Amino acid sequence: MDLVIRDARVIDGTGAPAFRADVVVSEGRIVRLSPEGEPRPSGPRTSTVDADGLALAPGFIDMHAHSDLAVLRDPEHTAKVAQGVTLEVLGQDGLSYAPVDETTLAAIREAITGWNGDGSDIDFDWRTVGGYLDRIDRQGTAVNAAYLIPQGSVRMLAMGWDDRPATADELATMKRLVAEGMAQGAVGMSSGLTYTPGMFASDAELTELCRVVAAYDGYYCPHHRSYGAGALEAYTEMVALTREAGCALHLAHATMNFGVNRGRGPELLALLDEALAHGADITLDTYPYTPGCTTLAAMLPSWANEGGPEATLARLADPATAARIRHVMEVEGADGCHGVPIEWDTIEISGVSHDALADHVGRTVAQSAALRGEEPWETALRLLTEDRLGSTILQHVGHEENVRAIMRHRVHTGGSDGILQGAKPHPRAYGTFPQYLGRYVRELGVLSLEECVAHLTGRPAARLRLPDRGVVREGYVADLVLFDPETVAATATFAEPRSLPAGIPYVFVAGQPVIEEGRRTDALPGRAIRRTE
């Protein structure tokens, strides 16, 4: 026996009531569960942990992570493992680093600098999905990682940044790239339908790509076309599209934001219930906070981003074009801002790429503008151009009643959408999972502890088609988290976003402790989780 966890309150990830048991781990798997009242495990073992009634759950699965470079840059990955996360799903929002060629890699690195940094510290020694997953395995990391094929990156490879329909040959190329990525181990495909160039795809194009994903038993994970004006229509579009393709659907950071959607969470859930009742295969993820997080450049109208970062910067440098962009954003409502006129007092700068702009961090665009005696647009334009589109933002447009309603739904899972870059990132990057357990279970009672753990473990494992993870069960991989339900809490705040959580003393990946007595070990047992396994 490599490990015995004694007297744990097992919350097994199925939603079933907790029970007391000893848990025996050997060679990375759970080999025995001894419920209270049965003979205790005996014999030689490497180590014993006395749980003393602490909760033992499967490791948490982050269904929406932006750690694509972080797992390579910082394999210890304390931000996530300290929360009890043992598996992340990468390749989100339609833009990531595989598949690529030399030209698209350079463009993607610049386009999503705000998400992952510019990558100057990374050796990009891969070009394919399989190559990226192999790199994770060669280097080692604290957490397991699954990958979604980014549809925007695929479109960029096939046809650049153009806003036009794909030709038959270009669509064939995209379908081939998706099939190759799925065969190499991706679990599905993501889209960022408010980000260029993925947003230029028609429903017909997306449907054809989803047919390929479905053939490999994967799922489609769209950041859909609007979370503001037209949000329900955008959700309806994704449900219809995937049903036409026969593809499973997982809705990314599924919420209803901006003033137009206050209190409308139940309408989204009614839409999903109707589709589920008619046989649709749908899940979703959310983070337990109201503000969102993205890049400032993402707020621009899509036509301003056509052609890639250099073309965008050229448009911003032209006074007439910049004035047109301003009008669309402030008066009409840009599609990048979900069809809602931008409110600069809701846009807080959370990170910049250039130190000379650091005094903007922690202030809204409106606050920075007032300090400079200028219009908010002038401040935003300066940030966009001088930071070369690399600034990240917090967008304070969510509604607590929607957050709570959606997290109660039976197909809900947890996803941090955590961006680790910037001087002042969203606290969800360091706090999502203890925030669920501490605030929404213990303090507010929105979910029971057993329900919440199922949302964070068994349910996402089922979506990922993982046959031996997500449940505390004999024969399953020993990805486990030991926490105190009475003290577990997110200590990360908007003021101190990199503070590690409380009440999670042990985290195990494949039976190896990555958090031990509340401290990070040097173990790197994580690996790439491929769809074919």
PDB file of all heavy atoms in Angstrom, residues 157-188:
ATOM      1  N   LEU A 157      -5.581  28.859 -39.609  1.00  0.00           N
ATOM      2  CA  LEU A 157      -4.690  28.020 -40.411  1.00  0.00           C
ATOM      3  C   LEU A 157      -5.235  27.823 -41.818  1.00  0.00           C
ATOM      4  O   LEU A 157      -4.477  27.807 -42.792  1.00  0.00           O
ATOM      5  CB  LEU A 157      -4.540  26.648 -39.747  1.00  0.00           C
ATOM      6  CG  LEU A 157      -3.312  26.377 -38.893  1.00  0.00           C
ATOM      7  CD1 LEU A 157      -3.399  24.984 -38.279  1.00  0.00           C
ATOM      8  CD2 LEU A 157      -2.036  26.520 -39.701  1.00  0.00           C
ATOM      9  N   ALA A 158      -6.539  27.672 -41.934  1.00  0.00           N
ATOM     10  CA  ALA A 158      -7.146  27.350 -43.230  1.00  0.00           C
ATOM     11  C   ALA A 158      -7.340  28.574 -44.113  1.00  0.00           C
ATOM     12  O   ALA A 158      -7.216  28.477 -45.340  1.00  0.00           O
ATOM     13  CB  ALA A 158      -8.486  26.659 -43.018  1.00  0.00           C
ATOM     14  N   MET A 159      -7.622  29.760 -43.491  1.00  0.00           N
ATOM     15  CA  MET A 159      -8.016  30.899 -44.322  1.00  0.00           C
ATOM     16  C   MET A 159      -7.665  32.257 -43.724  1.00  0.00           C
ATOM     17  O   MET A 159      -8.208  33.277 -44.141  1.00  0.00           O
ATOM     18  CB  MET A 159      -9.508  30.844 -44.618  1.00  0.00           C
ATOM     19  CG  MET A 159     -10.405  30.728 -43.397  1.00  0.00           C
ATOM     20  SD  MET A 159     -12.156  30.482 -43.805  1.00  0.00           S
ATOM     21  CE  MET A 159     -12.568  31.997 -44.651  1.00  0.00           C
ATOM     22  N   GLY A 160      -6.790  32.290 -42.733  1.00  0.00           N
ATOM     23  CA  GLY A 160      -6.366  33.571 -42.182  1.00  0.00           C
ATOM     24  C   GLY A 160      -7.432  34.223 -41.329  1.00  0.00           C
ATOM     25  O   GLY A 160      -8.263  33.555 -40.719  1.00  0.00           O
ATOM     26  N   TRP A 161      -7.401  35.556 -41.304  1.00  0.00           N
ATOM     27  CA  TRP A 161      -8.295  36.335 -40.446  1.00  0.00           C
ATOM     28  C   TRP A 161      -9.491  36.905 -41.209  1.00  0.00           C
ATOM     29  O   TRP A 161     -10.166  37.816 -40.726  1.00  0.00           O
ATOM     30  CB  TRP A 161      -7.535  37.502 -39.821  1.00  0.00           C
ATOM     31  CG  TRP A 161      -6.466  37.110 -38.851  1.00  0.00           C
ATOM     32  CD1 TRP A 161      -5.208  36.684 -39.140  1.00  0.00           C
ATOM     33  CD2 TRP A 161      -6.553  37.125 -37.421  1.00  0.00           C
ATOM     34  NE1 TRP A 161      -4.509  36.431 -37.984  1.00  0.00           N
ATOM     35  CE2 TRP A 161      -5.308  36.697 -36.917  1.00  0.00           C
ATOM     36  CE3 TRP A 161      -7.571  37.467 -36.526  1.00  0.00           C
ATOM     37  CZ2 TRP A 161      -5.044  36.595 -35.553  1.00  0.00           C
ATOM     38  CZ3 TRP A 161      -7.308  37.371 -35.170  1.00  0.00           C
ATOM     39  CH2 TRP A 161      -6.058  36.938 -34.691  1.00  0.00           C
ATOM     40  N   ASP A 162      -9.772  36.382 -42.405  1.00  0.00           N
ATOM     41  CA  ASP A 162     -10.776  36.996 -43.266  1.00  0.00           C
ATOM     42  C   ASP A 162     -12.193  36.786 -42.736  1.00  0.00           C
ATOM     43  O   ASP A 162     -12.548  35.699 -42.271  1.00  0.00           O
ATOM     44  CB  ASP A 162     -10.697  36.406 -44.678  1.00  0.00           C
ATOM     45  CG  ASP A 162      -9.397  36.748 -45.370  1.00  0.00           C
ATOM     46  OD1 ASP A 162      -8.656  37.597 -44.839  1.00  0.00           O
ATOM     47  OD2 ASP A 162      -9.118  36.149 -46.432  1.00  0.00           O
ATOM     48  N   ASP A 163     -13.000  37.831 -42.861  1.00  0.00           N
ATOM     49  CA  ASP A 163     -14.417  37.768 -42.523  1.00  0.00           C
ATOM     50  C   ASP A 163     -15.193  37.452 -43.797  1.00  0.00           C
ATOM     51  O   ASP A 163     -15.665  38.343 -44.505  1.00  0.00           O
ATOM     52  CB  ASP A 163     -14.871  39.099 -41.920  1.00  0.00           C
ATOM     53  CG  ASP A 163     -16.339  39.088 -41.522  1.00  0.00           C
ATOM     54  OD1 ASP A 163     -16.976  38.027 -41.652  1.00  0.00           O
ATOM     55  OD2 ASP A 163     -16.849  40.143 -41.094  1.00  0.00           O
ATOM     56  N   ARG A 164     -15.289  36.170 -44.096  1.00  0.00           N
ATOM     57  CA  ARG A 164     -15.995  35.707 -45.299  1.00  0.00           C
ATOM     58  C   ARG A 164     -16.312  34.236 -45.132  1.00  0.00           C
ATOM     59  O   ARG A 164     -15.741  33.545 -44.285  1.00  0.00           O
ATOM     60  CB  ARG A 164     -15.142  35.928 -46.549  1.00  0.00           C
ATOM     61  CG  ARG A 164     -13.819  35.179 -46.530  1.00  0.00           C
ATOM     62  CD  ARG A 164     -13.064  35.290 -47.845  1.00  0.00           C
ATOM     63  NE  ARG A 164     -11.756  34.654 -47.777  1.00  0.00           N
ATOM     64  CZ  ARG A 164     -11.535  33.355 -47.919  1.00  0.00           C
ATOM     65  NH1 ARG A 164     -12.568  32.530 -48.126  1.00  0.00           N
ATOM     66  NH2 ARG A 164     -10.320  32.846 -47.845  1.00  0.00           N
ATOM     67  N   PRO A 165     -17.237  33.723 -45.949  1.00  0.00           N
ATOM     68  CA  PRO A 165     -17.507  32.282 -45.901  1.00  0.00           C
ATOM     69  C   PRO A 165     -16.299  31.477 -46.361  1.00  0.00           C
ATOM     70  O   PRO A 165     -15.522  31.925 -47.224  1.00  0.00           O
ATOM     71  CB  PRO A 165     -18.684  32.109 -46.868  1.00  0.00           C
ATOM     72  CG  PRO A 165     -19.275  33.473 -47.017  1.00  0.00           C
ATOM     73  CD  PRO A 165     -18.145  34.440 -46.869  1.00  0.00           C
ATOM     74  N   ALA A 166     -16.129  30.312 -45.795  1.00  0.00           N
ATOM     75  CA  ALA A 166     -15.072  29.403 -46.227  1.00  0.00           C
ATOM     76  C   ALA A 166     -15.428  28.796 -47.579  1.00  0.00           C
ATOM     77  O   ALA A 166     -16.591  28.508 -47.864  1.00  0.00           O
ATOM     78  CB  ALA A 166     -14.874  28.299 -45.202  1.00  0.00           C
ATOM     79  N   THR A 167     -14.418  28.602 -48.417  1.00  0.00           N
ATOM     80  CA  THR A 167     -14.625  27.849 -49.650  1.00  0.00           C
ATOM     81  C   THR A 167     -14.736  26.364 -49.308  1.00  0.00           C
ATOM     82  O   THR A 167     -14.442  25.934 -48.190  1.00  0.00           O
ATOM     83  CB  THR A 167     -13.464  28.063 -50.621  1.00  0.00           C
ATOM     84  OG1 THR A 167     -12.275  27.477 -50.055  1.00  0.00           O
ATOM     85  CG2 THR A 167     -13.225  29.548 -50.886  1.00  0.00           C
ATOM     86  N   ALA A 168     -15.128  25.592 -50.300  1.00  0.00           N
ATOM     87  CA  ALA A 168     -15.235  24.148 -50.079  1.00  0.00           C
ATOM     88  C   ALA A 168     -13.885  23.554 -49.675  1.00  0.00           C
ATOM     89  O   ALA A 168     -13.809  22.700 -48.782  1.00  0.00           O
ATOM     90  CB  ALA A 168     -15.770  23.471 -51.337  1.00  0.00           C
ATOM     91  N   ASP A 169     -12.815  24.004 -50.333  1.00  0.00           N
ATOM     92  CA  ASP A 169     -11.482  23.494 -50.001  1.00  0.00           C
ATOM     93  C   ASP A 169     -11.062  23.928 -48.597  1.00  0.00           C
ATOM     94  O   ASP A 169     -10.449  23.140 -47.857  1.00  0.00           O
ATOM     95  CB  ASP A 169     -10.456  23.981 -51.023  1.00  0.00           C
ATOM     96  CG  ASP A 169     -10.569  23.261 -52.361  1.00  0.00           C
ATOM     97  OD1 ASP A 169     -11.256  22.213 -52.417  1.00  0.00           O
ATOM     98  OD2 ASP A 169      -9.976  23.749 -53.341  1.00  0.00           O
ATOM     99  N   GLU A 170     -11.363  25.161 -48.221  1.00  0.00           N
ATOM    100  CA  GLU A 170     -11.003  25.639 -46.882  1.00  0.00           C
ATOM    101  C   GLU A 170     -11.769  24.888 -45.802  1.00  0.00           C
ATOM    102  O   GLU A 170     -11.215  24.531 -44.760  1.00  0.00           O
ATOM    103  CB  GLU A 170     -11.257  27.145 -46.787  1.00  0.00           C
ATOM    104  CG  GLU A 170     -10.259  27.963 -47.591  1.00  0.00           C
ATOM    105  CD  GLU A 170     -10.698  29.403 -47.790  1.00  0.00           C
ATOM    106  OE1 GLU A 170     -11.894  29.709 -47.604  1.00  0.00           O
ATOM    107  OE2 GLU A 170      -9.837  30.241 -48.160  1.00  0.00           O
ATOM    108  N   LEU A 171     -13.054  24.627 -46.056  1.00  0.00           N
ATOM    109  CA  LEU A 171     -13.835  23.854 -45.090  1.00  0.00           C
ATOM    110  C   LEU A 171     -13.284  22.435 -44.972  1.00  0.00           C
ATOM    111  O   LEU A 171     -13.194  21.884 -43.862  1.00  0.00           O
ATOM    112  CB  LEU A 171     -15.302  23.824 -45.512  1.00  0.00           C
ATOM    113  CG  LEU A 171     -16.251  23.061 -44.578  1.00  0.00           C
ATOM    114  CD1 LEU A 171     -16.205  23.623 -43.163  1.00  0.00           C
ATOM    115  CD2 LEU A 171     -17.678  23.109 -45.124  1.00  0.00           C
ATOM    116  N   ALA A 172     -12.894  21.860 -46.096  1.00  0.00           N
ATOM    117  CA  ALA A 172     -12.303  20.520 -46.057  1.00  0.00           C
ATOM    118  C   ALA A 172     -11.020  20.521 -45.239  1.00  0.00           C
ATOM    119  O   ALA A 172     -10.745  19.571 -44.476  1.00  0.00           O
ATOM    120  CB  ALA A 172     -12.041  20.024 -47.476  1.00  0.00           C
ATOM    121  N   THR A 173     -10.218  21.576 -45.374  1.00  0.00           N
ATOM    122  CA  THR A 173      -8.992  21.683 -44.585  1.00  0.00           C
ATOM    123  C   THR A 173      -9.313  21.774 -43.105  1.00  0.00           C
ATOM    124  O   THR A 173      -8.672  21.105 -42.271  1.00  0.00           O
ATOM    125  CB  THR A 173      -8.190  22.921 -45.021  1.00  0.00           C
ATOM    126  OG1 THR A 173      -7.786  22.761 -46.381  1.00  0.00           O
ATOM    127  CG2 THR A 173      -6.952  23.121 -44.148  1.00  0.00           C
ATOM    128  N   MET A 174     -10.304  22.582 -42.748  1.00  0.00           N
ATOM    129  CA  MET A 174     -10.678  22.708 -41.337  1.00  0.00           C
ATOM    130  C   MET A 174     -11.171  21.381 -40.777  1.00  0.00           C
ATOM    131  O   MET A 174     -10.810  20.988 -39.657  1.00  0.00           O
ATOM    132  CB  MET A 174     -11.737  23.804 -41.167  1.00  0.00           C
ATOM    133  CG  MET A 174     -11.186  25.217 -41.301  1.00  0.00           C
ATOM    134  SD  MET A 174     -12.405  26.483 -40.874  1.00  0.00           S
ATOM    135  CE  MET A 174     -13.173  26.740 -42.473  1.00  0.00           C
ATOM    136  N   LYS A 175     -11.980  20.675 -41.526  1.00  0.00           N
ATOM    137  CA  LYS A 175     -12.486  19.387 -41.065  1.00  0.00           C
ATOM    138  C   LYS A 175     -11.340  18.389 -40.870  1.00  0.00           C
ATOM    139  O   LYS A 175     -11.321  17.620 -39.900  1.00  0.00           O
ATOM    140  CB  LYS A 175     -13.526  18.847 -42.050  1.00  0.00           C
ATOM    141  CG  LYS A 175     -14.817  19.669 -42.079  1.00  0.00           C
ATOM    142  CD  LYS A 175     -15.749  19.257 -43.203  1.00  0.00           C
ATOM    143  CE  LYS A 175     -16.345  17.899 -42.986  1.00  0.00           C
ATOM    144  NZ  LYS A 175     -17.377  17.579 -44.008  1.00  0.00           N
ATOM    145  N   ARG A 176     -10.373  18.432 -41.780  1.00  0.00           N
ATOM    146  CA  ARG A 176      -9.214  17.549 -41.637  1.00  0.00           C
ATOM    147  C   ARG A 176      -8.419  17.896 -40.379  1.00  0.00           C
ATOM    148  O   ARG A 176      -7.994  17.002 -39.624  1.00  0.00           O
ATOM    149  CB  ARG A 176      -8.313  17.665 -42.869  1.00  0.00           C
ATOM    150  CG  ARG A 176      -6.995  16.890 -42.722  1.00  0.00           C
ATOM    151  CD  ARG A 176      -6.138  17.019 -43.971  1.00  0.00           C
ATOM    152  NE  ARG A 176      -5.825  18.396 -44.311  1.00  0.00           N
ATOM    153  CZ  ARG A 176      -4.887  19.126 -43.695  1.00  0.00           C
ATOM    154  NH1 ARG A 176      -4.174  18.604 -42.698  1.00  0.00           N
ATOM    155  NH2 ARG A 176      -4.651  20.361 -44.087  1.00  0.00           N
ATOM    156  N   LEU A 177      -8.213  19.175 -40.114  1.00  0.00           N
ATOM    157  CA  LEU A 177      -7.464  19.593 -38.931  1.00  0.00           C
ATOM    158  C   LEU A 177      -8.184  19.182 -37.640  1.00  0.00           C
ATOM    159  O   LEU A 177      -7.554  18.749 -36.679  1.00  0.00           O
ATOM    160  CB  LEU A 177      -7.243  21.107 -38.961  1.00  0.00           C
ATOM    161  CG  LEU A 177      -6.270  21.621 -40.017  1.00  0.00           C
ATOM    162  CD1 LEU A 177      -6.377  23.141 -40.142  1.00  0.00           C
ATOM    163  CD2 LEU A 177      -4.837  21.212 -39.686  1.00  0.00           C
ATOM    164  N   VAL A 178      -9.507  19.321 -37.645  1.00  0.00           N
ATOM    165  CA  VAL A 178     -10.272  18.901 -36.468  1.00  0.00           C
ATOM    166  C   VAL A 178     -10.177  17.395 -36.280  1.00  0.00           C
ATOM    167  O   VAL A 178      -9.964  16.894 -35.160  1.00  0.00           O
ATOM    168  CB  VAL A 178     -11.734  19.366 -36.573  1.00  0.00           C
ATOM    169  CG1 VAL A 178     -12.577  18.752 -35.453  1.00  0.00           C
ATOM    170  CG2 VAL A 178     -11.819  20.894 -36.511  1.00  0.00           C
ATOM    171  N   ALA A 179     -10.308  16.645 -37.359  1.00  0.00           N
ATOM    172  CA  ALA A 179     -10.206  15.185 -37.259  1.00  0.00           C
ATOM    173  C   ALA A 179      -8.826  14.770 -36.756  1.00  0.00           C
ATOM    174  O   ALA A 179      -8.707  13.866 -35.907  1.00  0.00           O
ATOM    175  CB  ALA A 179     -10.488  14.547 -38.616  1.00  0.00           C
ATOM    176  N   GLU A 180      -7.789  15.420 -37.239  1.00  0.00           N
ATOM    177  CA  GLU A 180      -6.433  15.091 -36.788  1.00  0.00           C
ATOM    178  C   GLU A 180      -6.270  15.381 -35.301  1.00  0.00           C
ATOM    179  O   GLU A 180      -5.693  14.581 -34.548  1.00  0.00           O
ATOM    180  CB  GLU A 180      -5.405  15.876 -37.601  1.00  0.00           C
ATOM    181  CG  GLU A 180      -5.271  15.399 -39.042  1.00  0.00           C
ATOM    182  CD  GLU A 180      -4.367  16.299 -39.867  1.00  0.00           C
ATOM    183  OE1 GLU A 180      -3.916  17.356 -39.338  1.00  0.00           O
ATOM    184  OE2 GLU A 180      -4.091  15.970 -41.038  1.00  0.00           O
ATOM    185  N   GLY A 181      -6.775  16.522 -34.870  1.00  0.00           N
ATOM    186  CA  GLY A 181      -6.666  16.868 -33.456  1.00  0.00           C
ATOM    187  C   GLY A 181      -7.425  15.910 -32.559  1.00  0.00           C
ATOM    188  O   GLY A 181      -6.946  15.528 -31.488  1.00  0.00           O
ATOM    189  N   MET A 182      -8.614  15.490 -33.005  1.00  0.00           N
ATOM    190  CA  MET A 182      -9.381  14.531 -32.222  1.00  0.00           C
ATOM    191  C   MET A 182      -8.654  13.189 -32.185  1.00  0.00           C
ATOM    192  O   MET A 182      -8.565  12.544 -31.135  1.00  0.00           O
ATOM    193  CB  MET A 182     -10.781  14.361 -32.809  1.00  0.00           C
ATOM    194  CG  MET A 182     -11.669  15.596 -32.713  1.00  0.00           C
ATOM    195  SD  MET A 182     -12.028  16.125 -31.022  1.00  0.00           S
ATOM    196  CE  MET A 182     -12.944  14.728 -30.390  1.00  0.00           C
ATOM    197  N   ALA A 183      -8.114  12.751 -33.309  1.00  0.00           N
ATOM    198  CA  ALA A 183      -7.393  11.482 -33.347  1.00  0.00           C
ATOM    199  C   ALA A 183      -6.148  11.512 -32.460  1.00  0.00           C
ATOM    200  O   ALA A 183      -5.722  10.477 -31.937  1.00  0.00           O
ATOM    201  CB  ALA A 183      -7.011  11.147 -34.793  1.00  0.00           C
ATOM    202  N   GLN A 184      -5.573  12.707 -32.291  1.00  0.00           N
ATOM    203  CA  GLN A 184      -4.371  12.854 -31.467  1.00  0.00           C
ATOM    204  C   GLN A 184      -4.688  13.017 -29.979  1.00  0.00           C
ATOM    205  O   GLN A 184      -3.769  13.119 -29.176  1.00  0.00           O
ATOM    206  CB  GLN A 184      -3.555  14.042 -31.970  1.00  0.00           C
ATOM    207  CG  GLN A 184      -2.927  13.810 -33.329  1.00  0.00           C
ATOM    208  CD  GLN A 184      -2.432  15.088 -33.989  1.00  0.00           C
ATOM    209  OE1 GLN A 184      -2.323  16.136 -33.344  1.00  0.00           O
ATOM    210  NE2 GLN A 184      -2.139  15.021 -35.273  1.00  0.00           N
ATOM    211  N   GLY A 185      -5.973  13.057 -29.622  1.00  0.00           N
ATOM    212  CA  GLY A 185      -6.313  13.023 -28.213  1.00  0.00           C
ATOM    213  C   GLY A 185      -7.154  14.147 -27.676  1.00  0.00           C
ATOM    214  O   GLY A 185      -7.481  14.147 -26.483  1.00  0.00           O
ATOM    215  N   ALA A 186      -7.534  15.124 -28.482  1.00  0.00           N
ATOM    216  CA  ALA A 186      -8.398  16.194 -27.985  1.00  0.00           C
ATOM    217  C   ALA A 186      -9.746  15.621 -27.558  1.00  0.00           C
ATOM    218  O   ALA A 186     -10.211  14.615 -28.104  1.00  0.00           O
ATOM    219  CB  ALA A 186      -8.604  17.267 -29.048  1.00  0.00           C
ATOM    220  N   VAL A 187     -10.382  16.277 -26.575  1.00  0.00           N
ATOM    221  CA  VAL A 187     -11.675  15.804 -26.075  1.00  0.00           C
ATOM    222  C   VAL A 187     -12.849  16.479 -26.773  1.00  0.00           C
ATOM    223  O   VAL A 187     -14.000  16.105 -26.560  1.00  0.00           O
ATOM    224  CB  VAL A 187     -11.790  16.017 -24.555  1.00  0.00           C
ATOM    225  CG1 VAL A 187     -10.777  15.160 -23.810  1.00  0.00           C
ATOM    226  CG2 VAL A 187     -11.619  17.497 -24.177  1.00  0.00           C
ATOM    227  N   GLY A 188     -12.574  17.479 -27.589  1.00  0.00           N
ATOM    228  CA  GLY A 188     -13.637  18.197 -28.276  1.00  0.00           C
ATOM    229  C   GLY A 188     -13.090  19.412 -28.971  1.00  0.00           C
ATOM    230  O   GLY A 188     -11.881  19.509 -29.244  1.00  0.00           O
TER     231      GLY A 188
END
